[in-house]
Amino acid sequence: MPAKSRPSRATPSGRRSLDTLLLVGILLGFTVLASYVWPAAIPSGLAACGALGAALLLYHRRKRRRFGEVSRQLVDVQRRHSESEQRFRALLESLPKVAVQGYDRNRRVIYWNAASSQLYGYLPEEAQGQLLEDLIIPEMMREGVIQAHHDWVEQGREIPASELELRHKSGAPVAVFSHHVMLGEQTEDPLMFCVDVDLSVQKQAHRDLEFVTRFDTLTLLPNRRAFETELEAQLEGCRRQAHNLAVLFIDLDGFAEINDAQGYAQGDMLLRQVARRLRNCQRSSDLLSRFGSDEFVMAFGQLRDDNDAMRLVDKVLHAFLLPFQVGEREVHITASLGISLFPDNGTTALELIHNADVAKNRAKLSTTQHYWFFNQKLQDELVHEHQMVERLQQALRLGELQLFYQPQVSAVSGRVEQVEALLRWFPREGGVVSPAEFIPVAERSQLIERIGDWVIEEACRQRAEWKAEGLSDYRIDINLSGRQVAHPELFTRLEAALERHGLEPEDIGIELTENVLIKANTGLLDNLRRLYHRGMKIAIDDFGTGYSSLSYLKLFPVTSLKVDRSFVHDAPDQPSDRAIMAAAVFIGHQLGLEVVAEGVENEEQLELVRDLGCDLVQGYYCFKPMAAEDTRRLLGALVLDGDGLTN
């Protein structure tokens, strides 16, 4: 290829013109760069640079037209040019984020401003005369940079402005937006100027944003969004290779109590330790994510059969056997696991995660195991439960709930002493829904609080109505669930209902299961003691089916024990059940408590509970639960007759 023809070396005046063009070129480079990268951050001095460049161009046009003017004018122009150049160089040195370097035709440094030193770590005297590629170009980019510079000098092919990752003196990467200006292309001494804007702040902000959108900042695990994306990609491989996969949804048991008791800082410390232990359960291809406050999700691929999944479940459960060190304390914590399998329980990431979550919720309700495998029956039950919740909400609005009343009678005289309010549901479309079916659903959905408030209000209203009719001797007992009594305002609402209907604490009694009492906190005990001292009767329902410890009987303010119907049913034929009943009666009487036998359905059972010394009897053999009007007629007849009932 023939060499380009080059003009002869420039004269001094030509050199001054070249210098001026250099300044103008750099000014134009600044203008292009600012409009592309830094539109809001360049100070007003940039505008001044633009104006200066325009003035210089205008000046040279006029200079060419007036070349023959007197030397006085030339001297004046040269002076103003020198001042402009000094101001421009001062401007280059004053821009803190704009690094400008000048290179000769061999890519050796001829200019290096202060911002370049700050950006790349080399002082001007260190950089002067050094090759561009040896200073700031990474190894993998060097050949391309040299070729691009050669193509520009020899063929006029410009280097486009772009984002680059160059190299600091220390070897660290430096992110910049780089714009290039070539001056004197048609001379023997072309010069290339690079104008680099530091992008490190923007790049770090981008990396921080990317991290926040993909990772949990506490445990540094992938978040839900990242996990779903990674799981979907892994499922694609499972489909191609016909591999199985398991998704585990892990929920820490009692984590909220730890947060409440020890504070969020201790809770965060525990979560980080849990994350570390779960990482140790991972294989190289497995996924782990923190989904929420105390929820983690894992995915295990390349499974051969369900036994592989069970071994992984055991491994995760084993991670919770040892205590966690939280501050200066050791904390024991368990986890509930739900497991869904690909492809049996879902074919997409969202399906598998959702079904594992469903199984986890069932595991949390179980008292016998900490894990649960998803199956279609479980899904059907969940749908049925969801529909029942909606129907229950409608039942509250439409008045489909009713209270029935079952009398409790003296085991000796047969006299009705009080009645227990029992909730019944009669849908408008007909039929009846068993309490055994809808009460647990109400408990799990938190509807029990609304239903419980309705029961309290209706029982108080009915008790006030009967008192007004002269039936003042018959107390109504109502059942309170564990979720109800956990609400701090329950007893305030109960006392407000009593006052609203003009009742005394003796008019309404409450029944609690022994499990509720065992879990009682100080606030609950204080409320029960206050009601007890005001005269309210408090019974332990289903006695004998809860915790084995009896020490709580001396601590809690109770007035009666209700022996569970299962013992009454089996006692005539089972000596062990009979012995338990006898012990319950003995303990109750020793503590000054009234003992009630539930579920008496035949004469043999009645005779047995009498022989054992039970005070009261409740069951179908005496009275079935009945509607309010039937109960009123019964109680009214007893008042008129003045006699008790005997069987």
Side-chain angles (χ1 to χ4, degrees):
M1 177 177 178
K4 289 185 178 182
S5 60
R6 300 281 185 180
S8 60
R9 182 168 299 273
T11 62
S13 61
R15 171 60 64 186
R16 286 194 294 272
S17 298
L18 182 60
D19 291 343
T20 302
L21 286 174
L22 184 153
L23 296 178
V24 172
I26 294 178
L27 284 169
L28 291 175
F30 273 131
T31 305
V32 172
L33 183 63
S35 66
Y36 187 81
V37 175
W38 214 13
I42 296 294
S44 58
L46 186 59
C49 290
L52 178 59
L56 287 171
L57 288 174
L58 180 60
Y59 161 72
H60 281 287
R61 292 195 187 104
R62 292 176 178 175
K63 181 179 179 182
R64 285 193 295 271
R65 288 196 302 267
R66 300 173 59 190
F67 188 76
E69 289 186 1
V70 295
S71 60
R72 180 184 60 78
Q73 292 174 320
L74 179 59
V75 171
D76 182 60
V77 168
Q78 290 174 337
R79 178 182 58 78
R80 284 184 291 167
H81 173 268
S82 177
E83 292 174 353
S84 298
E85 182 176 352
Q86 292 174 7
R87 288 196 296 270
F88 180 71
R89 291 184 180 275
L91 175 62
L92 289 181
E93 297 298 329
S94 68
L95 294 175
K97 293 290 185 179
V98 180
V100 180
Q101 314 100 48
Y103 303 93
D104 63 17
R105 67 173 295 110
N106 297 316
R107 298 177 306 284
R108 294 187 181 276
V109 175
I110 62 171
Y111 178 76
W112 192 270
N113 73 345
S116 296
S117 296
Q118 184 177 356
L119 186 60
Y120 297 114
Y122 295 98
L123 295 175
E125 53 269 27
E126 293 179 289
Q128 193 71 33
Q130 299 297 316
L131 287 172
L132 163 67
E133 55 266 28
D134 292 340
L135 285 176
I136 62 176
I137 304 302
E139 184 68 34
M140 66 182 65
M141 292 174 54
R142 289 185 182 183
E143 184 176 343
V145 167
I146 294 172
Q147 185 63 45
H149 180 265
H150 179 271
D151 290 347
W152 197 347
V153 171
E154 298 297 331
Q155 302 177 26
R157 187 181 303 162
E158 295 185 6
I159 300 174
S162 61
E163 289 187 15
L164 300 174
E165 191 168 88
L166 303 181
R167 190 184 64 179
H168 188 270
K169 180 181 179 181
S170 64
V174 179
V176 298
F177 182 85
S178 186
H179 183 75
H180 308 81
V181 178
M182 187 72 73
L183 301 177
E185 293 178 71
Q186 304 302 318
T187 70
E188 292 290 343
D189 192 18
L191 303 176
M192 182 176 71
F193 283 79
C194 296
V195 183
D196 298 338
V197 176
D198 183 6
L199 297 181
S200 58
V201 174
Q202 295 93 317
K203 289 290 185 180
Q204 185 59 47
H206 178 75
R207 287 192 291 269
D208 292 344
L209 179 60
E210 184 179 11
F211 181 86
V212 169
T213 57
R214 297 189 67 250
F215 292 89
D216 168 51
T217 56
L218 177 65
T219 62
L220 305 183
L221 295 176
N223 60 18
R224 177 172 186 161
R225 179 181 176 185
F227 180 85
E228 290 173 352
T229 302
E230 293 175 5
L231 177 56
E232 199 61 63
Q234 195 165 114
L235 288 174
E236 185 61 35
C238 291
R239 295 185 192 100
R240 289 195 306 268
Q241 302 172 24
H243 286 167
N244 295 330
L245 179 142
V247 172
L248 273 65
F249 206 113
I250 305 162
D251 187 289
L252 305 185
D253 300 325
F255 179 73
E257 287 77 3
I258 293 176
N259 258 347
D260 293 342
Q262 302 187 33
Y264 292 125
Q266 302 296 312
D268 289 348
M269 188 182 302
L270 175 60
L271 290 172
R272 284 191 288 266
Q273 291 185 50
V274 169
R276 283 196 293 271
R277 290 196 188 181
L278 292 178
R279 283 195 193 98
N280 293 333
C281 298
Q282 282 183 278
R283 301 167 303 177
S284 59
S285 61
D286 297 334
L287 305 179
L288 171 61
S289 167
R290 182 188 177 203
F291 258 41
S293 172
D294 58 350
E295 295 177 336
F296 297 83
V297 182
M298 304 184 73
F300 298 95
Q302 300 180 355
L303 304 183
R304 294 186 300 272
D305 51 38
D306 291 352
N307 291 330
D308 279 354
M310 194 63 243
R311 281 190 288 272
L312 293 169
V313 169
D314 289 337
K315 188 176 182 180
V316 172
L317 290 173
H318 186 77
F320 291 90
L321 293 181
L322 295 176
F324 294 86
Q325 191 69 36
V326 180
E328 299 180 354
R329 299 183 56 187
E330 287 189 344
V331 175
H332 289 269
I333 191 168
T334 58
S336 297
L337 274 62
I339 306 100
S340 64
L341 302 175
F342 170 86
D344 297 341
N345 306 139
T347 57
T348 68
L350 292 179
E351 284 180 321
L352 290 167
I353 293 168
H354 172 265
N355 291 340
D357 190 13
V358 170
K360 177 265 300 179
N361 291 333
R362 182 54 57 94
K364 290 187 78 69
L365 296 175
S366 174
T367 58
T368 58
Q369 64 185 53
H370 289 290
Y371 64 89
W372 202 280
F373 279 84
F374 178 85
N375 55 54
Q376 190 57 47
K377 181 182 177 182
L378 184 61
Q379 176 68 15
D380 294 341
E381 290 175 356
L382 182 68
V383 172
H384 175 71
E385 182 170 308
H386 177 72
Q387 293 172 344
M388 181 164 288
V389 168
E390 292 183 342
R391 292 178 60 201
L392 266 174
Q393 292 173 330
Q394 179 176 321
L396 280 168
R397 293 194 304 269
L398 300 179
E400 296 177 354
L401 300 180
Q402 294 184 33
L403 286 185
F404 271 43
Y405 301 89
Q406 186 174 32
Q408 297 174 2
V409 303
S410 169
V412 177
S413 67
R415 181 182 184 277
V416 175
E417 298 291 340
Q418 61 250 357
V419 298
E420 179 185 358
L422 300 170
L423 186 61
R424 296 292 184 264
W425 179 10
F426 298 96
R428 289 193 174 187
E429 61 267 23
V432 60
V433 183
S434 168
E437 184 178 1
F438 73 81
I439 291 296
V441 173
E443 286 269 7
R444 290 193 290 270
S445 67
Q446 299 185 3
L447 269 178
I448 195 65
E449 293 181 12
R450 289 177 56 194
I451 293 174
D453 287 345
W454 180 87
V455 169
I456 290 173
E457 186 67 23
E458 178 61 16
C460 289
R461 185 200 64 78
Q462 189 63 70
R463 183 71 183 97
E465 182 179 304
W466 287 344
K467 282 187 72 172
E469 295 174 359
L471 306 176
S472 57
D473 294 336
Y474 303 104
R475 185 181 78 240
I476 296 179
D477 291 345
I478 59 177
N479 292 278
L480 299 179
S481 73
R483 189 178 290 274
Q484 279 181 279
V485 299
H487 198 288
E489 297 182 359
L490 169 70
F491 295 102
T492 301
R493 296 199 298 268
L494 173 58
E495 291 179 285
L498 292 174
E499 184 176 352
R500 188 161 51 251
H501 292 282
L503 300 177
E504 299 297 329
E506 295 87 352
D507 292 317
I508 297 290
I510 58 176
E511 296 184 7
L512 305 164
T513 64
E514 52 188 317
N515 289 350
V516 171
L517 293 178
I518 286 293
K519 297 177 182 178
N521 55 29
T522 303
L524 173 57
L525 293 180
D526 289 343
N527 283 319
L528 291 176
R529 291 190 184 103
R530 187 179 73 255
L531 294 175
Y532 172 83
H533 290 301
R534 291 189 60 193
M536 182 171 286
K537 301 298 182 181
I538 303 172
I540 298 180
D541 197 15
D542 301 330
F543 182 73
T545 61
Y547 289 84
S548 59
S549 174
L550 298 176
S551 61
Y552 62 87
L553 287 177
K554 69 178 182 179
L555 301 176
F556 300 132
V558 297
T559 58
S560 62
L561 303 179
K562 299 187 71 176
V563 181
D564 186 70
R565 63 184 64 248
S566 62
F567 297 109
V568 174
H569 182 270
D570 297 332
D573 302 318
Q574 298 292 334
S576 58
D577 288 285
R578 190 160 54 249
I580 292 174
M581 279 198 66
V585 173
F586 175 78
I587 292 172
H589 286 166
Q590 289 297 308
L591 294 174
L593 306 178
E594 191 175 56
V595 180
V596 183
E598 293 186 287
V600 176
E601 298 179 352
N602 55 51
E603 186 172 357
E604 183 182 14
Q605 293 171 353
L606 176 63
E607 291 301 325
L608 176 62
V609 299
R610 280 174 172 170
D611 292 342
L612 291 176
C614 290
D615 302 298
L616 298 176
V617 177
Q618 181 178 350
Y620 277 27
Y621 187 69
C622 303
F623 294 101
K624 293 182 179 181
M626 60 190 78
E629 182 58 27
D630 295 332
T631 307
R632 186 194 64 77
R633 283 196 292 268
L634 170 66
L635 299 181
L638 295 178
V639 170
L640 291 175
D641 292 345
D643 295 325
L645 299 178
T646 58
N647 291 282

